[in-house]
Amino acid sequence: MKKLLALCCLLFGLSAVAHAAGDAPTDVIKDASRQILDVLKQDNGKNTKQIRQQAETLAVPMFDFQRMTALAVGLGWRQASAEQRTQLTQQFQTLLVRTYSATMTRFKTAQVDVKPNPVMSNGDRDATVKTAVTLPGNASPVAVDYTLNKGAQGWKIYNVSVEGASLVTVYRNSFNEEVRKNGVDGLIKLLQNKNAAPVAAAPAAKGNR
């Protein structure tokens, strides 16, 4: 799905400048989207690699990749040993960064409208921030929900849903099938092979978180 690809490219920038743990989740998304788009706008066609690396450096520490991996792997996560979980997280993080950051600069003119009043849950430790994103060449805004968790290091994104289609669920569908066929080690090997191959397009969205 093109919309999922586009919004996930932005996903790797929208959390780039989450501040202190006390910040409201809506403020985190507002500040981050503004600052990462400012970085992307510096792309002039000659410095694309440097701009992408700068955005990645800012964004990656602001994600809870372990939580994202646990959700994406699903039942297989419970079967995995501590070492296997570490490998899964490392490989899934690499896959996400390689897949979505490669085309991030294409969306430097996107407009992000962050809605007030996030949906709080889990004793106010989780928040879903709703946004409307207008992409280049697309007159109709796309509804995007960012799910964040507040831990010791502040708010971190661990899922994104584009028009109801969840990033982690997209991967979970294929990951569960691989675990059923070849076990957790088979999934680790699959991710390693994907990361060793040329960057492929984002998977199509088929469900909700």
Side-chain angles (χ1 to χ4, degrees):
M1 179 190 281
K2 292 182 180 179
K3 289 180 180 178
L4 181 64
L5 172 61
L7 271 301
C8 287
C9 290
L10 288 177
L11 170 66
F12 280 92
L14 287 178
S15 66
V17 287
H19 301 302
D23 280 357
T26 49
D27 292 337
V28 169
I29 297 298
K30 283 180 181 178
D31 291 345
S33 60
R34 180 171 57 250
Q35 294 193 34
I36 193 63
L37 288 173
D38 284 345
V39 170
L40 296 180
K41 287 174 183 176
Q42 297 175 31
D43 175 52
N44 59 17
K46 298 180 180 180
N47 62 350
T48 301
K49 182 178 180 180
Q50 290 79 9
I51 292 298
R52 186 170 66 242
Q53 289 175 340
Q54 183 179 350
E56 286 180 21
T57 299
L58 289 169
V60 167
M62 306 316 302
F63 282 87
D64 188 341
F65 282 106
Q66 181 170 314
R67 185 182 291 260
M68 292 179 75
T69 306
L71 288 171
V73 175
L75 293 176
W77 185 258
R78 295 184 220 171
Q79 304 171 16
S81 66
E83 181 180 352
Q84 287 174 321
R85 289 181 177 184
T86 297
Q87 292 185 61
L88 285 168
T89 301
Q90 291 173 344
Q91 294 299 324
F92 190 44
Q93 174 178 334
T94 300
L95 178 67
L96 290 174
V97 172
R98 290 181 76 241
T99 301
Y100 296 117
S101 68
T103 55
M104 188 187 300
T105 55
R106 296 182 188 177
F107 309 101
K108 58 188 177 183
T109 60
Q111 301 295 317
V112 182
D113 178 19
V114 181
K115 307 299 182 182
N117 304 319
V119 178
M120 308 301 295
S121 59
N122 190 27
D124 289 344
R125 291 188 296 275
D126 284 3
T128 299
V129 177
K130 297 180 180 295
T131 72
V133 180
T134 303
L135 299 169
N138 188 350
S140 300
V142 180
V144 186
D145 295 348
Y146 293 96
T147 307
L148 305 89
N149 176 262
K150 184 179 181 181
Q153 298 179 344
W155 291 102
K156 292 194 177 187
I157 292 175
Y158 67 87
N159 196 17
V160 59
S161 295
V162 181
E163 296 186 336
S166 161
L167 174 68
V168 296
T169 301
V170 167
Y171 284 101
R172 187 188 301 152
N173 293 335
S174 61
F175 287 1
N176 282 348
E177 182 178 357
E178 183 63 28
V179 171
R180 284 195 298 269
K181 290 180 178 179
N182 300 306
V184 174
D185 283 335
L187 177 56
I188 293 171
K189 182 63 176 177
L190 175 68
L191 291 171
Q192 290 172 336
N193 290 340
K194 285 181 178 291
N195 288 330
V199 176
K206 294 182 180 179
N208 298 328
R209 171 178 171 262

